[in-house]
Amino acid sequence: EAGVTQFPSHSVIEKGQTVTLRCDPISGHDNLYWYRRVMGKEIKFLLHFVKESKQDESGMPNNRFLAERTGGTYSTLKVQPAELEDSGVYFCASSYLQGSGTDTQYFGPGTRLTVL
Amino acid sequence: QQQVKQSPQSLIVQKGGISIINCAYENTAFDYFPWYQQFPGKGPALLIAIRPDVSEKKEGRFTISFNKSAKQFSLHIMDSQPGDSATYFCAARRDTGRRALTFGSGTRLQVQP
């Protein structure tokens, strides 16, 4: 079974440019999460999709970030315009909620974003 | 405000030794406490998890100790091996409501041969 995949693995852009990150969850996983780790700090939650609906977007830092999950499959996270503080590793995770409340989140390898 | 505090930031252990990583949490609504292991170039992967109704959980060389009254939990790696060298994250989550994981800041473990 394929794991969570993310594209690109690394992106270097200039301040003010736009970048779109993509995440393909494990097939059949309705839950999709985006997280971000800024250098040396904790991994922080950004938002949570259940199928195509945004369940929780309380972690989104500001309106320069836009996440979509059309059709409830893959998701994209767009940063427009990018700022220096957006640099970090963006992780996507997916899970299959089995009703008991416990669901293991499987993480992708991350996209390392560098804003110059 | 960081809800899950993790220490140490880095740890060097000799092969065969015991690695101990500690975490403390503040939100008593948390009811699931996983540890994730991350190798360079890979995403975090679930290593072991515990719920607050037990004080200890062991899986092979990995043990979680949980102290509900102190709001602390720790990961013990027995007989540490060079292949255990990785970054370890503790995390916490609720079973109801907000399902996102709240992570600690990570511990970079290096096991020397």
Side-chain angles (χ1 to χ4, degrees), chain B residues 62-87:
Chain B
F62 300 90
T63 300
I64 301 177
S65 296
F66 190 87
N67 186 330
K68 187 175 181 178
S69 60
K71 294 188 288 185
Q72 294 176 346
F73 59 111
S74 60
L75 176 68
H76 295 236
I77 306 174
M78 311 300 288
D79 186 26
S80 299
Q81 299 296 313
D84 298 330
S85 298
T87 299

PDB file of all heavy atoms in Angstrom, chain B residues 62-87:
ATOM      1  N   PHE B  62      11.093  -0.381  23.425  1.00  0.00           N
ATOM      2  CA  PHE B  62      10.519   0.948  23.652  1.00  0.00           C
ATOM      3  C   PHE B  62       9.431   0.878  24.729  1.00  0.00           C
ATOM      4  O   PHE B  62       8.531   0.048  24.652  1.00  0.00           O
ATOM      5  CB  PHE B  62       9.929   1.506  22.357  1.00  0.00           C
ATOM      6  CG  PHE B  62      10.933   1.649  21.250  1.00  0.00           C
ATOM      7  CD1 PHE B  62      11.156   0.607  20.359  1.00  0.00           C
ATOM      8  CD2 PHE B  62      11.685   2.804  21.113  1.00  0.00           C
ATOM      9  CE1 PHE B  62      12.101   0.728  19.342  1.00  0.00           C
ATOM     10  CE2 PHE B  62      12.630   2.938  20.104  1.00  0.00           C
ATOM     11  CZ  PHE B  62      12.839   1.897  19.212  1.00  0.00           C
ATOM     12  N   THR B  63       9.525   1.778  25.702  1.00  0.00           N
ATOM     13  CA  THR B  63       8.562   1.832  26.796  1.00  0.00           C
ATOM     14  C   THR B  63       8.116   3.265  27.012  1.00  0.00           C
ATOM     15  O   THR B  63       8.954   4.175  27.034  1.00  0.00           O
ATOM     16  CB  THR B  63       9.176   1.296  28.105  1.00  0.00           C
ATOM     17  OG1 THR B  63       9.571  -0.072  27.920  1.00  0.00           O
ATOM     18  CG2 THR B  63       8.170   1.378  29.252  1.00  0.00           C
ATOM     19  N   ILE B  64       6.809   3.456  27.170  1.00  0.00           N
ATOM     20  CA  ILE B  64       6.281   4.755  27.592  1.00  0.00           C
ATOM     21  C   ILE B  64       5.902   4.628  29.065  1.00  0.00           C
ATOM     22  O   ILE B  64       5.183   3.707  29.453  1.00  0.00           O
ATOM     23  CB  ILE B  64       5.033   5.182  26.813  1.00  0.00           C
ATOM     24  CG1 ILE B  64       5.302   5.273  25.309  1.00  0.00           C
ATOM     25  CG2 ILE B  64       4.538   6.522  27.321  1.00  0.00           C
ATOM     26  CD1 ILE B  64       4.054   5.637  24.511  1.00  0.00           C
ATOM     27  N   SER B  65       6.355   5.586  29.861  1.00  0.00           N
ATOM     28  CA  SER B  65       5.904   5.711  31.241  1.00  0.00           C
ATOM     29  C   SER B  65       5.019   6.939  31.330  1.00  0.00           C
ATOM     30  O   SER B  65       5.368   7.994  30.797  1.00  0.00           O
ATOM     31  CB  SER B  65       7.110   5.864  32.178  1.00  0.00           C
ATOM     32  OG  SER B  65       7.911   4.708  32.142  1.00  0.00           O
ATOM     33  N   PHE B  66       3.870   6.786  32.009  1.00  0.00           N
ATOM     34  CA  PHE B  66       2.901   7.875  32.047  1.00  0.00           C
ATOM     35  C   PHE B  66       2.531   8.200  33.481  1.00  0.00           C
ATOM     36  O   PHE B  66       2.190   7.305  34.266  1.00  0.00           O
ATOM     37  CB  PHE B  66       1.651   7.477  31.253  1.00  0.00           C
ATOM     38  CG  PHE B  66       0.688   8.600  31.032  1.00  0.00           C
ATOM     39  CD1 PHE B  66       0.828   9.430  29.945  1.00  0.00           C
ATOM     40  CD2 PHE B  66      -0.343   8.836  31.921  1.00  0.00           C
ATOM     41  CE1 PHE B  66      -0.048  10.483  29.740  1.00  0.00           C
ATOM     42  CE2 PHE B  66      -1.225   9.885  31.730  1.00  0.00           C
ATOM     43  CZ  PHE B  66      -1.073  10.705  30.626  1.00  0.00           C
ATOM     44  N   ASN B  67       2.617   9.469  33.848  1.00  0.00           N
ATOM     45  CA  ASN B  67       2.266   9.937  35.190  1.00  0.00           C
ATOM     46  C   ASN B  67       1.161  10.969  35.047  1.00  0.00           C
ATOM     47  O   ASN B  67       1.423  12.136  34.759  1.00  0.00           O
ATOM     48  CB  ASN B  67       3.487  10.537  35.886  1.00  0.00           C
ATOM     49  CG  ASN B  67       3.216  10.914  37.335  1.00  0.00           C
ATOM     50  OD1 ASN B  67       2.089  11.260  37.704  1.00  0.00           O
ATOM     51  ND2 ASN B  67       4.237  10.832  38.158  1.00  0.00           N
ATOM     52  N   LYS B  68      -0.081  10.517  35.237  1.00  0.00           N
ATOM     53  CA  LYS B  68      -1.231  11.387  35.005  1.00  0.00           C
ATOM     54  C   LYS B  68      -1.272  12.557  35.985  1.00  0.00           C
ATOM     55  O   LYS B  68      -1.572  13.687  35.605  1.00  0.00           O
ATOM     56  CB  LYS B  68      -2.521  10.577  35.105  1.00  0.00           C
ATOM     57  CG  LYS B  68      -3.773  11.331  34.716  1.00  0.00           C
ATOM     58  CD  LYS B  68      -4.973  10.417  34.729  1.00  0.00           C
ATOM     59  CE  LYS B  68      -6.232  11.158  34.315  1.00  0.00           C
ATOM     60  NZ  LYS B  68      -7.413  10.240  34.278  1.00  0.00           N
ATOM     61  N   SER B  69      -0.963  12.308  37.246  1.00  0.00           N
ATOM     62  CA  SER B  69      -1.052  13.376  38.253  1.00  0.00           C
ATOM     63  C   SER B  69      -0.025  14.478  37.987  1.00  0.00           C
ATOM     64  O   SER B  69      -0.274  15.653  38.231  1.00  0.00           O
ATOM     65  CB  SER B  69      -0.869  12.814  39.656  1.00  0.00           C
ATOM     66  OG  SER B  69       0.402  12.201  39.780  1.00  0.00           O
ATOM     67  N   ALA B  70       1.128  14.074  37.479  1.00  0.00           N
ATOM     68  CA  ALA B  70       2.175  15.051  37.185  1.00  0.00           C
ATOM     69  C   ALA B  70       2.063  15.610  35.783  1.00  0.00           C
ATOM     70  O   ALA B  70       2.794  16.538  35.421  1.00  0.00           O
ATOM     71  CB  ALA B  70       3.552  14.415  37.380  1.00  0.00           C
ATOM     72  N   LYS B  71       1.159  15.043  34.986  1.00  0.00           N
ATOM     73  CA  LYS B  71       0.996  15.434  33.588  1.00  0.00           C
ATOM     74  C   LYS B  71       2.319  15.325  32.829  1.00  0.00           C
ATOM     75  O   LYS B  71       2.752  16.267  32.143  1.00  0.00           O
ATOM     76  CB  LYS B  71       0.391  16.830  33.476  1.00  0.00           C
ATOM     77  CG  LYS B  71      -1.043  16.887  34.013  1.00  0.00           C
ATOM     78  CD  LYS B  71      -1.727  18.219  33.726  1.00  0.00           C
ATOM     79  CE  LYS B  71      -1.164  19.304  34.577  1.00  0.00           C
ATOM     80  NZ  LYS B  71      -1.880  20.593  34.414  1.00  0.00           N
ATOM     81  N   GLN B  72       2.949  14.160  33.002  1.00  0.00           N
ATOM     82  CA  GLN B  72       4.226  13.918  32.352  1.00  0.00           C
ATOM     83  C   GLN B  72       4.241  12.514  31.747  1.00  0.00           C
ATOM     84  O   GLN B  72       3.587  11.598  32.264  1.00  0.00           O
ATOM     85  CB  GLN B  72       5.374  14.047  33.358  1.00  0.00           C
ATOM     86  CG  GLN B  72       5.556  15.451  33.913  1.00  0.00           C
ATOM     87  CD  GLN B  72       6.641  15.508  34.980  1.00  0.00           C
ATOM     88  OE1 GLN B  72       7.093  14.489  35.493  1.00  0.00           O
ATOM     89  NE2 GLN B  72       7.075  16.723  35.301  1.00  0.00           N
ATOM     90  N   PHE B  73       4.968  12.360  30.667  1.00  0.00           N
ATOM     91  CA  PHE B  73       5.177  11.041  30.103  1.00  0.00           C
ATOM     92  C   PHE B  73       6.556  11.007  29.456  1.00  0.00           C
ATOM     93  O   PHE B  73       7.094  12.053  29.081  1.00  0.00           O
ATOM     94  CB  PHE B  73       4.064  10.639  29.127  1.00  0.00           C
ATOM     95  CG  PHE B  73       3.862  11.549  27.946  1.00  0.00           C
ATOM     96  CD1 PHE B  73       4.186  11.118  26.674  1.00  0.00           C
ATOM     97  CD2 PHE B  73       3.319  12.823  28.095  1.00  0.00           C
ATOM     98  CE1 PHE B  73       3.967  11.927  25.573  1.00  0.00           C
ATOM     99  CE2 PHE B  73       3.111  13.644  27.000  1.00  0.00           C
ATOM    100  CZ  PHE B  73       3.442  13.194  25.733  1.00  0.00           C
ATOM    101  N   SER B  74       7.097   9.804  29.392  1.00  0.00           N
ATOM    102  CA  SER B  74       8.460   9.695  28.893  1.00  0.00           C
ATOM    103  C   SER B  74       8.624   8.447  28.029  1.00  0.00           C
ATOM    104  O   SER B  74       7.866   7.485  28.157  1.00  0.00           O
ATOM    105  CB  SER B  74       9.456   9.668  30.054  1.00  0.00           C
ATOM    106  OG  SER B  74       9.192   8.556  30.895  1.00  0.00           O
ATOM    107  N   LEU B  75       9.605   8.526  27.165  1.00  0.00           N
ATOM    108  CA  LEU B  75       9.960   7.407  26.293  1.00  0.00           C
ATOM    109  C   LEU B  75      11.309   6.868  26.744  1.00  0.00           C
ATOM    110  O   LEU B  75      12.262   7.640  26.889  1.00  0.00           O
ATOM    111  CB  LEU B  75      10.035   7.855  24.838  1.00  0.00           C
ATOM    112  CG  LEU B  75      10.490   6.803  23.822  1.00  0.00           C
ATOM    113  CD1 LEU B  75       9.443   5.702  23.665  1.00  0.00           C
ATOM    114  CD2 LEU B  75      10.800   7.454  22.473  1.00  0.00           C
ATOM    115  N   HIS B  76      11.361   5.561  26.963  1.00  0.00           N
ATOM    116  CA  HIS B  76      12.611   4.910  27.315  1.00  0.00           C
ATOM    117  C   HIS B  76      12.972   3.939  26.188  1.00  0.00           C
ATOM    118  O   HIS B  76      12.132   3.115  25.790  1.00  0.00           O
ATOM    119  CB  HIS B  76      12.474   4.115  28.619  1.00  0.00           C
ATOM    120  CG  HIS B  76      12.196   4.979  29.812  1.00  0.00           C
ATOM    121  ND1 HIS B  76      12.993   4.966  30.934  1.00  0.00           N
ATOM    122  CD2 HIS B  76      11.224   5.885  30.060  1.00  0.00           C
ATOM    123  CE1 HIS B  76      12.508   5.813  31.826  1.00  0.00           C
ATOM    124  NE2 HIS B  76      11.441   6.383  31.308  1.00  0.00           N
ATOM    125  N   ILE B  77      14.190   4.067  25.699  1.00  0.00           N
ATOM    126  CA  ILE B  77      14.681   3.134  24.687  1.00  0.00           C
ATOM    127  C   ILE B  77      15.772   2.305  25.332  1.00  0.00           C
ATOM    128  O   ILE B  77      16.848   2.833  25.666  1.00  0.00           O
ATOM    129  CB  ILE B  77      15.220   3.862  23.440  1.00  0.00           C
ATOM    130  CG1 ILE B  77      14.164   4.827  22.880  1.00  0.00           C
ATOM    131  CG2 ILE B  77      15.632   2.847  22.379  1.00  0.00           C
ATOM    132  CD1 ILE B  77      14.676   5.687  21.727  1.00  0.00           C
ATOM    133  N   MET B  78      15.481   1.060  25.552  1.00  0.00           N
ATOM    134  CA  MET B  78      16.455   0.162  26.176  1.00  0.00           C
ATOM    135  C   MET B  78      17.417  -0.372  25.124  1.00  0.00           C
ATOM    136  O   MET B  78      17.059  -0.499  23.943  1.00  0.00           O
ATOM    137  CB  MET B  78      15.734  -1.004  26.847  1.00  0.00           C
ATOM    138  CG  MET B  78      14.571  -0.607  27.737  1.00  0.00           C
ATOM    139  SD  MET B  78      15.069   0.457  29.091  1.00  0.00           S
ATOM    140  CE  MET B  78      15.935  -0.757  30.088  1.00  0.00           C
ATOM    141  N   ASP B  79      18.636  -0.694  25.566  1.00  0.00           N
ATOM    142  CA  ASP B  79      19.635  -1.269  24.654  1.00  0.00           C
ATOM    143  C   ASP B  79      19.678  -0.466  23.346  1.00  0.00           C
ATOM    144  O   ASP B  79      19.509  -1.006  22.253  1.00  0.00           O
ATOM    145  CB  ASP B  79      19.296  -2.741  24.369  1.00  0.00           C
ATOM    146  CG  ASP B  79      20.350  -3.461  23.564  1.00  0.00           C
ATOM    147  OD1 ASP B  79      21.523  -3.051  23.616  1.00  0.00           O
ATOM    148  OD2 ASP B  79      19.989  -4.418  22.854  1.00  0.00           O
ATOM    149  N   SER B  80      19.881   0.822  23.465  1.00  0.00           N
ATOM    150  CA  SER B  80      19.865   1.716  22.304  1.00  0.00           C
ATOM    151  C   SER B  80      20.871   1.260  21.246  1.00  0.00           C
ATOM    152  O   SER B  80      21.988   0.840  21.572  1.00  0.00           O
ATOM    153  CB  SER B  80      20.172   3.140  22.742  1.00  0.00           C
ATOM    154  OG  SER B  80      19.191   3.608  23.653  1.00  0.00           O
ATOM    155  N   GLN B  81      20.447   1.356  19.988  1.00  0.00           N
ATOM    156  CA  GLN B  81      21.261   0.927  18.847  1.00  0.00           C
ATOM    157  C   GLN B  81      21.505   2.109  17.902  1.00  0.00           C
ATOM    158  O   GLN B  81      20.689   3.032  17.836  1.00  0.00           O
ATOM    159  CB  GLN B  81      20.556  -0.195  18.094  1.00  0.00           C
ATOM    160  CG  GLN B  81      20.308  -1.437  18.923  1.00  0.00           C
ATOM    161  CD  GLN B  81      21.600  -2.106  19.369  1.00  0.00           C
ATOM    162  OE1 GLN B  81      22.516  -2.312  18.562  1.00  0.00           O
ATOM    163  NE2 GLN B  81      21.697  -2.417  20.657  1.00  0.00           N
ATOM    164  N   PRO B  82      22.593   2.059  17.140  1.00  0.00           N
ATOM    165  CA  PRO B  82      22.845   3.144  16.177  1.00  0.00           C
ATOM    166  C   PRO B  82      21.661   3.374  15.235  1.00  0.00           C
ATOM    167  O   PRO B  82      21.398   4.506  14.823  1.00  0.00           O
ATOM    168  CB  PRO B  82      24.082   2.655  15.432  1.00  0.00           C
ATOM    169  CG  PRO B  82      24.810   1.811  16.439  1.00  0.00           C
ATOM    170  CD  PRO B  82      23.726   1.118  17.220  1.00  0.00           C
ATOM    171  N   GLY B  83      20.929   2.333  14.906  1.00  0.00           N
ATOM    172  CA  GLY B  83      19.753   2.458  14.047  1.00  0.00           C
ATOM    173  C   GLY B  83      18.601   3.209  14.689  1.00  0.00           C
ATOM    174  O   GLY B  83      17.640   3.569  14.007  1.00  0.00           O
ATOM    175  N   ASP B  84      18.700   3.447  15.995  1.00  0.00           N
ATOM    176  CA  ASP B  84      17.682   4.241  16.691  1.00  0.00           C
ATOM    177  C   ASP B  84      17.933   5.740  16.543  1.00  0.00           C
ATOM    178  O   ASP B  84      17.107   6.553  16.957  1.00  0.00           O
ATOM    179  CB  ASP B  84      17.656   3.902  18.187  1.00  0.00           C
ATOM    180  CG  ASP B  84      17.286   2.457  18.458  1.00  0.00           C
ATOM    181  OD1 ASP B  84      16.529   1.870  17.660  1.00  0.00           O
ATOM    182  OD2 ASP B  84      17.756   1.910  19.491  1.00  0.00           O
ATOM    183  N   SER B  85      19.083   6.089  15.981  1.00  0.00           N
ATOM    184  CA  SER B  85      19.423   7.504  15.815  1.00  0.00           C
ATOM    185  C   SER B  85      18.391   8.161  14.911  1.00  0.00           C
ATOM    186  O   SER B  85      18.206   7.768  13.751  1.00  0.00           O
ATOM    187  CB  SER B  85      20.821   7.652  15.220  1.00  0.00           C
ATOM    188  OG  SER B  85      21.790   7.107  16.091  1.00  0.00           O
ATOM    189  N   ALA B  86      17.684   9.140  15.437  1.00  0.00           N
ATOM    190  CA  ALA B  86      16.559   9.770  14.748  1.00  0.00           C
ATOM    191  C   ALA B  86      16.085  10.933  15.604  1.00  0.00           C
ATOM    192  O   ALA B  86      16.614  11.171  16.698  1.00  0.00           O
ATOM    193  CB  ALA B  86      15.423   8.764  14.550  1.00  0.00           C
ATOM    194  N   THR B  87      15.083  11.633  15.112  1.00  0.00           N
ATOM    195  CA  THR B  87      14.426  12.656  15.913  1.00  0.00           C
ATOM    196  C   THR B  87      13.120  12.079  16.448  1.00  0.00           C
ATOM    197  O   THR B  87      12.362  11.472  15.689  1.00  0.00           O
ATOM    198  CB  THR B  87      14.146  13.924  15.096  1.00  0.00           C
ATOM    199  OG1 THR B  87      15.393  14.462  14.637  1.00  0.00           O
ATOM    200  CG2 THR B  87      13.449  14.985  15.958  1.00  0.00           C
TER     201      THR B  87
END
